[in-house]
């Protein structure tokens, strides 16, 4: 009997040990690197592509699938879809049932709209600000309903289907029209009221914050929340079209960019640029070369890579990658990578087919 009891006790301990091993959290082993080709989708660039360097994986979403992003942070901020050149203007009323008319000045434009008009989100990705081009174009949603005004919303442009000449892009399709929206708080979430401009009635939906994501995204077309970004700890780079600020000599203006790359600043990804002229090349750059303080700017600006990785071309030249630079990325898990861009076109010279190489620094 004692031998039987001893055998059963040992067996139980072995089973418990196995169960404990199975239930223990798995440590993610980061990818040592790869060559990736994000599926931007060609010269119309229909997709936003989110890349996770630690797994070498990517997820893509049609950039016209969403209109507004509701921040999951402690603030109550709402972003607009700059990849479609959306723009908004605050009205002086809180009554969304009042008919409104379109205002063609409320637009990204082609370098003629001053950033200080505050029609678009600040391109750094910093949500906080008092307007006039600082922070989100939609003011922070107040806990006092009477302070939350109606906004005139230019929905920007659909994804183009025009096939451009080789080396060019065609990103802007037909104008998507206009809406009016009013956003309120709903506990720790949001309530959105929206309608066509002439309508005297409106639709209303509630939006719940999800701390696993940077934003909860909403489509004014479908009236539903939609999946866009992956979990905020599961992506580092976003390949997208983008509304940026540009200084043409007369102050900053709003301007649409293609072939743009933003880092997941809100999720904790950081980056900096290294020029070969600094005395180090991609090939011989090691973990020992990383300068931690160089990441500082990227904590408050998602555009470190931006359009800096490529040249846009001109009347006598096609767009091309810049081979005199590479980038250092630090992901939210503390992994360090170096990345360099190999191509922005396919073998036929058609734009919207980026290729890059990256390696884990260890």
């Amino acid at each position: 009997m004692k031998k039987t009891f001893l055998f059963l006790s040992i067996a139980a301990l072995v089973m418990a040990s196995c169960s404990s091993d199975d239930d223990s959290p798995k440590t993610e082993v980061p990818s040592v690197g790869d060559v990736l080709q994000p599926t931007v989708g060609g010269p119309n660039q229909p997709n936003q592509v989110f890349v996770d360097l630690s797994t070498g994986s990517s997820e893509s979403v049609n950039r016209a699938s969403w209109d507004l992003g509701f921040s999951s942070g402690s603030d109550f901020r709402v972003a607009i879809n700059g990849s479609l050149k959306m723009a908004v203007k605050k009205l002086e009323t809180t009554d969304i049932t009042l008919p409104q008319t379109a205002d063609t000045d409320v637009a990204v434009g082609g370098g003629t709209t001053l950033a200080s008009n505050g029609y678009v989100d600040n391109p750094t990705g910093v949500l906080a600000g008092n307007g006039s081009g600082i922070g989100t174009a939609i003011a922070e949603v107040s806990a006092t309903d009477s302070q939350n005004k109606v906004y005139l919303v230019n929905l920007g442009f659909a994804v183009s289907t025009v096939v451009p000449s080789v080396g060019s892009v065609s990103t802007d399709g037909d104008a998507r029209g206009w809406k009016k929206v009013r956003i309120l708080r709903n506990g720790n979430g949001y309530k959105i009221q929206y309608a066509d401009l002439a309508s005297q009635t409106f639709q209303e939906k509630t939006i719940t914050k999800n701390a696993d994501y940077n934003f909860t995204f909403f489509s004014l077309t479908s009236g539903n929340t939609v999946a866009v970004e992956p979990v905020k700890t599961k992506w580092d780079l976003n390949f997208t079209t983008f509304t940026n600020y540009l200084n043409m000599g007369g102050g900053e203006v709003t301007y649409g960019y293609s072939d743009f790359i933003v880092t997941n600043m809100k999720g904790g990804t950081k980056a900096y640029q290294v020029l070969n002229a600094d005395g180090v090349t991609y090939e011989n750059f090691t973990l020992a070369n990383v300068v931690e303080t160089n990441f500082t700017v990227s904590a408050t600006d998602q555009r470190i890579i931006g359009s800096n990785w490529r040249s846009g071309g001109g009347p006598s030249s096609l767009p091309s990658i810049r081979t005199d630079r590479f980038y250092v990325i630090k992901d939210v898990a503390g992994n360090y990578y170096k990345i360099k861009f190999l191509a922005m076109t396919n073998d036929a010279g058609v734009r919207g087919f980026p290729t890059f190489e990256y390696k884990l620094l260890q």
Side-chain angles (χ1 to χ4, degrees), residues 144-352:
T144 304
D145 286 355
S146 61
Q147 295 181 3
N148 295 313
K149 305 292 188 179
V150 176
Y151 281 80
L152 186 67
V153 180
N154 179 345
L155 294 171
F157 297 92
V159 176
S160 173
T161 57
V162 173
V163 179
S165 59
V166 173
S168 298
V169 293
S170 175
T171 57
D172 296 346
D174 294 335
R176 299 174 68 230
W178 298 78
K179 294 285 186 183
K180 54 184 177 180
V181 304
R182 184 176 182 231
I183 301 168
L184 311 169
R185 292 195 192 186
N186 182 51
N188 192 41
Y190 305 84
K191 181 188 297 181
I192 179 173
Q193 300 171 344
Y194 62 100
D196 293 334
L197 296 189
S199 178
Q200 294 180 312
T201 61
F202 60 89
Q203 293 178 281
E204 184 174 277
K205 295 291 178 69
T206 57
I207 309 291
T208 302
K209 290 185 179 183
N210 187 336
D212 291 335
Y213 296 83
N214 292 325
F215 296 97
T216 298
F217 294 91
F218 185 80
S219 167
L220 292 168
T221 302
S222 69
N224 296 313
T225 56
V226 290
V228 179
E229 292 181 359
V231 171
K232 64 185 179 184
T233 58
K234 296 298 183 182
W235 68 276
D236 300 297
L237 306 175
N238 176 15
F239 289 70
T240 183
T241 55
F242 190 78
T243 296
N244 201 8
Y245 288 176
L246 178 66
N247 196 325
M248 295 182 171
E252 288 188 319
V253 294
T254 56
Y255 198 82
Y257 279 67
S258 54
D259 306 295
F260 209 86
I261 302 168
V262 298
T263 51
N264 183 12
M265 179 187 77
K266 299 174 189 67
T269 300
K270 297 179 180 179
Y272 70 87
Q273 178 177 273
V274 181
L275 297 176
N276 295 340
D278 294 337
V280 63
T281 65
Y282 176 84
E283 286 70 24
N284 62 27
F285 191 91
T286 68
L287 185 60
N289 297 118
V290 173
V291 180
E292 200 70 30
T293 55
N294 286 355
F295 290 116
T296 301
V297 174
S298 67
T300 54
D301 196 332
Q302 62 186 352
R303 304 169 298 169
I304 299 302
I305 300 177
S307 63
N308 299 314
W309 65 283
R310 49 82 173 179
S311 296
S316 59
S317 63
L318 292 175
S320 61
I321 60 167
R322 288 174 168 163
T323 58
D324 65 341
R325 64 197 61 194
F326 60 95
Y327 296 87
V328 182
I329 307 293
K330 181 180 181 181
D331 71 11
V332 67
N335 301 308
Y336 294 85
Y337 302 91
K338 58 181 179 180
I339 77 171
K340 69 174 180 178
F341 292 90
L342 305 177
M344 62 181 295
T345 67
N346 63 13
D347 291 341
V350 177
R351 205 155 153 183

Side-chain angles (χ1 to χ4, degrees), residues 2-62:
K2 289 182 178 179
K3 289 182 179 179
T4 301
F5 179 80
L6 179 61
F7 172 78
L8 291 173
S9 298
I10 293 172
L13 285 171
V14 170
M15 291 177 67
S17 175
C18 291
S19 176
S20 177
D21 288 344
D22 290 343
D23 294 341
S24 62
K26 303 296 188 295
T27 301
E28 182 179 276
V29 178
S31 168
V32 296
D34 205 346
V35 174
L36 300 180
Q37 296 178 305
T39 54
V40 172
N44 301 137
Q45 304 197 0
N47 299 326
Q48 293 182 306
V49 185
F50 300 89
V51 177
D52 180 16
L53 297 177
S54 67
T55 60
S57 62
S58 64
E59 296 182 25
S60 65
V61 62
N62 187 288

